Amino acid sequence: MAQFDVVLMPEGERLTPALGLEAKGAKLVVETVFGKRHTIAPDRLAHRESVDAATKGDAAAQLREMVERAERLAAEVDVELLWESVADREDPATLRTLAGAWFGDRAGLVELKATDLAIVGSDAYFERVRQRYRPLTRAQRSAALERARRAAERERVLDRMTASVKARLDAPDAAADDAWSDAVDALASFTINGSGPGERIVERLGAHAQGPSRRHAAVDLLVATRAIARPTDLLVHRHRLNRAFGPQHEAAVADVVEAVTGALPDRPAAPTPAFTIDDVDTRDYDDAISVDVTPDGIRLGVHIADPAPFVPRGSLLDETAYSRGTTVYLPDRKYPMFPAALSEDALSLRAGVERPVLSFYFAFSDEQSEPPEPTIVRERITIADNLSYADVDALLAGDGDDDAPHAAAVRIADRIARARRAARDERGAVALNQPELRISVDDDGSVRARRIDADTAARALVAEAMILVNHAGAAWLATREVPAIYRGQVPPAEPVHPPVPYDPVAFRREVRKMQKARLATAPAPHAGLGLECYTQLSSPLRRYGDLVIHRQLAAALAGAPLPFDDADDLLAVVVTSDMNYQTAVGAERRAKRAWALRALETRLGEPEAAIVVDVAPGREATVELVDTGVVGRIGGRETDALAVGDHVTVRVRAIDVIDEQPELELVE
């Protein structure tokens, strides 16, 4: 028989049992029960005693048995009673002191480790400071107990949620309860955020939750339990926004409606019938056009909705619009910058009702001429018709009724727009257009995604009218030195050649040549538009930055105090608003992609035409799907023979809702 040292040694925040092997100078080489070796000075040991054993293996077995006894014995230690015995001490107590108080003065390794395990297992009584234990104050103990209570409650809730998911796996049609609803929310949140109680549910279900990752496993659980019909339901949910208006907004809206009604009679009436041109499902009309042929030529009117005098700076509605930055349009819903009662009714240029507008009247000697500075006036207008892009495109293509209302006016406006576009092109304007993804969602939830031409005659007509107004507004403000925010763009370093018809490879190449537009307090050329100065004020119901400039111009026009008399203060507001706008547009873009992926999910396995836009030899190729514009990657050696610009056929195997990517493969 031989004697072997068994010790308790500090290891991080723990006291670890170990077996002494040999002396190494003044230090001791030890081996933990997990087989890890350490060299440690004896004075750092929390405890050291000897055991008799025939071999090192027998000694190690004895140490493991001592640890098991300590684990059983820990349950007998009343930590609260120990705490009470030393609660009034100011200096930390040693482990030996605490173990001796419970087990007596002859406490050895088993008793010391049992005491340590009991104390560490309950953090409501002691704070460990190296190898000593400081009793918590009574206030700290109360707080710790409250934390422990909340943690225990979270565990009970987690138990109930896990049980509800397990029950649903066994019987998907089982009645729902609160635990089930909470479990669905937790799993969905985990798939989106990558953390939270949903991850614990997946962990606890173990074999029931398989997948490439825990987040993928959570998606599979939601589908298997019929919480969602298809994985892409999560994508749609992920990109929805929390933008509800509250009761306080309803009261503010009522005040605006009353103010609009009271102010209209004091405004002059617009002299010429006007019409809007927009999507067929548009409700927030914020611009209209009128055409009047006069003995001196043509008077083109561009009428902009006028919310500025009814939504003053700093009001509740103004602050809300400022934080939102813009209206966000999703395929199945809309998040307006202003409440719908304003943006789609009281201030919207709907046909047949009188509305306040800020009108710009441009006098053209003929359709090709350059007009002088416009006449700008606040007035009231009754829109004659809300025309759709499709109606106007049909008319301009010769498929419409020549005797239809506004047919002549639309054709004149179209010829003016074409002349304006040609003049800008001569000054170096660049129009890089790509098809627009249009997604429709039926009442039954079915989704259709298709690309449409975003540069039709009707859309170009409206775009030129808005460019005309924004350019004229910028010039008017600059001439009078009214503080304003201008949007400029320096010319590209090399010529840009817009691809017509659209080609994704050429489009990517050419768009990289363009410089970013910049905000500035002084007028500057906008190379992309071919204009010497430019601002934005044509969509005050939908873009907060437009509303700010709209207010500046309207105040200067009336000779009233300017909302902003310092350009730097104005810039700070517009920059922040622009950041909010970009954030909202990013959310809109991601949501559109999510809906496009949902549409693709209904066509799994079907051949899809695609164009290769990038290749990383031996690794992957990036393709753009022709029908939807969705970009995805094909991996593996099968991409070695592909080149940028190749037209290929691919198949969508699945939609990865975690990475938000289609899983594509080449079709031979």
Side-chain angles (χ1 to χ4, degrees):
M1 298 291 287
Q3 284 194 330
F4 291 86
D5 286 329
V6 288
V7 303
L8 282 178
M9 56 167 284
E11 187 180 23
E13 295 299 316
R14 298 177 301 170
L15 282 180
T16 301
L19 178 68
L21 298 181
E22 61 181 351
K24 190 173 183 180
K27 295 185 177 181
L28 182 66
V29 178
V30 300
E31 183 177 277
T32 70
V33 290
F34 305 108
K36 187 175 180 181
R37 293 195 176 190
H38 298 269
T39 301
I40 186 169
D43 60 0
R44 292 193 59 225
L45 297 174
H47 177 73
R48 182 177 184 176
E49 64 182 75
S50 298
V51 296
D52 295 327
T55 65
K56 173 196 165 188
D58 290 341
Q62 284 192 52
L63 178 61
R64 287 193 294 272
E65 191 274 333
M66 295 170 76
V67 171
E68 292 172 1
R69 283 167 48 205
E71 290 172 348
R72 293 192 297 271
L73 200 57
E76 300 178 12
V77 178
D78 189 330
V79 181
E80 183 176 11
L81 192 57
L82 271 183
W83 174 82
E84 288 284 1
S85 70
V86 295
D88 296 327
R89 290 182 55 148
E90 295 184 0
D91 57 320
T94 65
L95 179 60
R96 186 167 300 282
T97 298
L98 295 173
W102 187 259
F103 292 106
D105 293 338
R106 302 180 65 119
L109 184 143
V110 172
E111 292 77 18
L112 289 166
K113 183 57 182 174
T115 305
D116 179 63
L117 288 172
I119 292 173
V120 172
S122 175
D123 62 357
Y125 299 96
F126 291 92
E127 175 187 16
R128 185 167 172 181
V129 182
R130 297 185 181 177
Q131 295 187 41
R132 292 177 176 267
Y133 302 80
R134 177 184 292 121
L136 300 183
T137 66
R138 298 189 184 276
Q140 290 172 328
R141 173 176 169 271
S142 296
L145 288 172
E146 176 59 23
R147 287 195 300 271
R149 185 196 65 76
R150 291 198 298 266
E153 177 58 27
R154 286 194 296 270
E155 289 299 311
R156 285 191 291 272
V157 170
L158 193 60
D159 288 342
R160 291 194 293 269
M161 289 194 294
T162 304
S164 71
V165 175
K166 179 65 169 63
R168 285 286 224 174
L169 287 169
D170 297 334
D173 294 325
D177 56 14
D178 290 344
W180 166 243
S181 299
D182 292 342
V184 171
D185 290 343
L187 289 169
S189 177
F190 172 50
T191 66
I192 296 170
N193 303 314
S195 62
E199 183 173 16
R200 300 280 307 281
I201 295 174
V202 173
E203 290 174 351
R204 290 184 173 204
L205 286 170
H208 294 287
Q210 302 298 317
S213 71
R214 288 175 180 169
R215 293 172 72 188
H216 287 89
V219 175
D220 294 342
L221 284 173
L222 289 167
V223 174
T225 56
R226 300 182 187 174
I228 57 176
R230 58 191 69 82
T232 52
D233 286 349
L234 283 170
L235 287 182
V236 173
H237 173 76
R238 179 181 302 174
H239 294 295
R240 284 182 179 153
L241 304 176
N242 183 18
R243 284 195 165 189
F245 291 103
Q248 69 276 26
H249 293 97
E250 295 179 9
V253 165
D255 292 340
V256 171
V257 172
E258 183 179 353
V260 170
T261 303
L264 283 175
D266 296 331
R267 294 190 173 205
T272 307
F275 50 88
T276 66
I277 306 174
D278 223 312
D279 287 308
V280 68
D281 55 354
T282 293
R283 297 294 178 267
D284 48 352
Y285 303 101
D286 56 8
D287 56 76
I289 295 170
S290 65
V291 176
D292 188 18
V293 178
T294 70
D296 298 323
I298 301 166
R299 185 177 68 175
L300 175 70
V302 183
H303 313 276
I304 307 299
D306 189 15
F310 310 106
V311 184
R313 178 187 173 195
S315 64
L316 172 64
L317 292 172
D318 177 67
E319 292 293 337
T320 302
Y322 175 51
S323 67
R324 297 184 176 208
T326 187
T327 293
V328 176
Y329 298 89
L330 303 187
D332 66 331
R333 66 193 62 207
K334 177 170 63 178
Y335 299 97
M337 187 175 79
F338 288 125
L342 296 183
S343 59
E344 298 182 11
D345 189 3
L347 295 171
S348 177
L349 305 186
R350 297 190 298 113
V353 291
E354 202 169 49
R355 292 291 180 257
V357 291
L358 184 67
S359 296
F360 293 71
Y361 288 102
F362 299 89
F364 293 86
S365 57
D366 58 54
E367 294 168 353
Q368 306 294 320
S369 66
E370 187 73 25
E373 182 179 84
T375 299
I376 308 174
V377 59
R378 269 182 162 160
E379 56 188 5
R380 52 190 165 92
I381 196 169
T382 301
I383 300 299
D385 281 296
N386 295 132
L387 305 179
S388 71
Y389 285 125
D391 292 338
V392 173
D393 278 326
L395 178 65
L396 295 176
D399 299 330
D401 182 358
D402 287 344
D403 296 326
H406 319 297
V410 166
R411 290 196 173 93
I412 292 172
D414 174 59
R415 291 192 291 270
I416 290 175
R418 291 176 185 273
R420 301 295 303 171
R421 172 70 173 269
R424 290 194 303 105
D425 288 345
E426 289 181 5
R427 294 193 293 269
V430 177
L432 282 167
N433 297 309
Q434 63 182 142
E436 178 184 333
L437 178 61
R438 183 60 55 88
I439 298 172
S440 57
V441 183
D442 293 339
D443 292 340
D444 62 0
S446 58
V447 185
R448 293 186 303 279
R450 69 190 191 284
R451 297 175 100 176
I452 64 171
D453 184 0
D455 194 30
T456 67
R459 293 174 186 273
L461 188 164
V462 174
E464 285 301 322
M466 297 308 106
I467 292 171
L468 179 63
V469 161
N470 290 329
H471 169 54
W476 194 94
L477 291 164
T479 299
R480 291 157 180 80
E481 298 183 348
V482 177
I485 300 304
Y486 301 90
R487 296 174 185 265
Q489 185 182 45
V490 300
E494 55 182 305
V496 177
H497 305 287
V500 180
Y502 171 74
D503 173 71
V505 177
F507 181 86
R508 286 175 170 226
R509 180 187 65 240
E510 299 304 315
V511 80
R512 283 195 290 266
K513 298 177 182 177
M514 299 296 293
Q515 302 291 324
K516 287 186 177 181
R518 304 291 183 186
L519 300 179
T521 57
H526 195 299
L529 293 174
L531 298 171
E532 71 275 10
C533 62
Y534 194 72
T535 190
Q536 283 186 336
L537 55 81
S538 56
S539 296
L541 294 182
R542 294 183 286 170
R543 289 195 302 250
Y544 187 80
D546 291 38
L547 175 62
V548 172
I549 304 304
H550 185 106
R551 284 176 176 150
Q552 289 289 99
L553 189 148
L557 184 71
L562 297 174
F564 292 92
D565 54 14
D566 182 89
D568 289 335
D569 291 344
L570 178 59
L571 179 62
V573 170
V574 173
V575 165
T576 301
S577 170
D578 211 56
M579 290 171 59
N580 294 338
Y581 171 80
Q582 295 299 334
T583 299
V585 168
E588 182 175 292
R589 183 173 58 251
R590 290 188 294 274
K592 263 194 168 183
R593 177 178 170 82
W595 278 99
L597 291 174
R598 178 161 177 173
L600 284 176
E601 192 178 39
T602 66
R603 296 163 19 193
L604 295 181
E606 297 180 13
E608 301 275 350
I611 300 174
V612 179
V613 295
D614 193 22
V615 174
R619 291 184 300 171
E620 63 181 21
T622 303
V623 300
E624 181 176 300
L625 303 186
V626 173
D627 284 350
T628 60
V630 170
V631 174
R633 295 180 177 85
I634 309 167
R637 305 299 301 180
E638 61 185 352
T639 64
D640 286 351
L642 297 180
V644 171
D646 283 353
H647 288 247
V648 297
T649 302
V650 300
R651 182 183 295 114
V652 182
R653 292 196 310 265
I655 303 298
D656 187 330
V657 299
I658 301 301
D659 295 330
E660 301 191 25
Q661 294 289 339
E663 296 180 4
L664 304 176
E665 61 183 2
L666 277 174
V667 176
E668 297 295 336

